[in-house]
Amino acid sequence: MSEQHRKNIEFAIKNKNVFELRKLSRKGFIDNELRKEAWPILLGCSDDDNKENNDDEYLINNNHDYYEQIKKDTVRSMHHFDVTKNYSINRRQREQETLERILNGIFGKNLDLHYTQGFHDMCSVFYIVCGERLGLKLSENLAKRHMRDLVRDNMNVYQFILKLLFPLLSLCDIE
């Protein structure tokens, strides 16, 4: 990536310019250090979210409906990314346990959210790049804001969107 692209990202981060960061994201954020700064802005994490130390509320909470599914999904995780392919068995198990703790923390604290398979894959990217604490905050904000329709308790939103899909496509493509 060009040095100018890096400077543009750094400037947008400094100014917390969500619109500009969205545009710049199309070419990537170059490295993990910039991702750690850009992602919280894009996902609406405040500076207080990143500094506060309320980790107690995220202790493993097995008292939710998705504990068993999360366990199944995390056992299958940490195999698919380039960085995880060389993990030893012990390291992979530790990383899977941490990812499981993140997911159980989110869904144990937010009982109105409903876990869907595949959510763990997105959370694992945040965890691998940003670590447990920031990864948890990014994942929770992703669920509550950007993916809220995917973690609802029913499929009504999807059914509505699917009913609109073909009429919208026909407006764009006359064939």
Side-chain angles (χ1 to χ4, degrees):
M1 287 288 153
S2 74
E3 190 59 33
Q4 186 59 48
H5 184 60
R6 175 179 286 282
K7 288 178 182 177
N8 292 342
I9 294 169
E10 290 169 345
F11 185 76
I13 288 170
K14 180 181 175 190
N15 292 300
K16 296 185 185 326
N17 187 333
V18 173
F19 179 76
E20 190 63 26
L21 284 171
R22 284 183 183 150
K23 282 185 3 185
L24 294 166
S25 71
R26 291 180 179 97
K27 292 184 181 178
F29 288 129
I30 302 175
D31 60 38
N32 287 349
E33 293 310 309
L34 288 173
R35 289 180 189 104
K36 287 178 191 178
E37 293 183 60
W39 287 350
I41 296 167
L42 287 170
L43 290 171
C45 296
S46 70
D47 290 336
D48 293 337
D49 287 343
N50 296 333
K51 292 176 184 166
E52 70 185 29
N53 197 4
N54 287 338
D55 293 336
D56 291 347
E57 62 188 274
Y58 286 102
L59 293 174
I60 290 183
N61 180 348
N62 305 345
N63 193 20
H64 59 86
D65 294 340
Y66 305 103
Y67 177 76
E68 290 301 322
Q69 187 60 53
I70 286 171
K71 188 159 204 57
K72 290 175 188 174
D73 285 353
T74 54
V75 166
R76 294 188 299 258
S77 68
M78 299 294 175
H79 292 277
H80 309 295
F81 302 109
D82 290 342
V83 70
T84 62
K85 287 182 180 177
N86 295 324
Y87 282 0
S88 68
I89 292 171
N90 288 337
R91 175 150 187 217
R92 180 169 285 113
Q93 287 174 332
R94 284 192 313 273
E95 302 294 342
Q96 290 168 336
E97 289 168 4
T98 304
L99 179 60
E100 185 178 341
R101 187 168 51 246
I102 289 169
L103 292 164
N104 282 315
I106 293 168
F107 291 94
K109 178 184 172 205
N110 301 283
L111 297 176
D112 58 319
L113 299 181
H114 299 273
Y115 179 78
T116 57
Q117 285 182 300
F119 186 74
H120 72 287
D121 287 325
M122 289 176 278
C123 295
S124 63
V125 172
F126 290 138
Y127 167 54
I128 290 167
V129 171
C130 302
E132 182 174 1
R133 201 154 162 252
L134 181 54
L136 184 146
K137 292 184 186 317
L138 293 172
S139 298
E140 183 176 22
N141 274 25
L142 179 73
K144 287 178 160 182
R145 295 171 183 225
H146 300 276
M147 295 189 64
R148 65 183 166 267
D149 290 337
L150 299 174
V151 293
R152 290 179 190 242
D153 62 344
N154 63 53
M155 301 294 282
N156 292 343
V157 171
Y158 297 117
Q159 290 170 334
F160 178 74
I161 291 170
L162 287 174
K163 286 179 184 176
L164 293 176
L165 183 62
F166 288 108
L168 287 172
L169 286 174
S170 69
L171 291 173
C172 297
D173 184 5
I174 54 177
E175 290 181 26

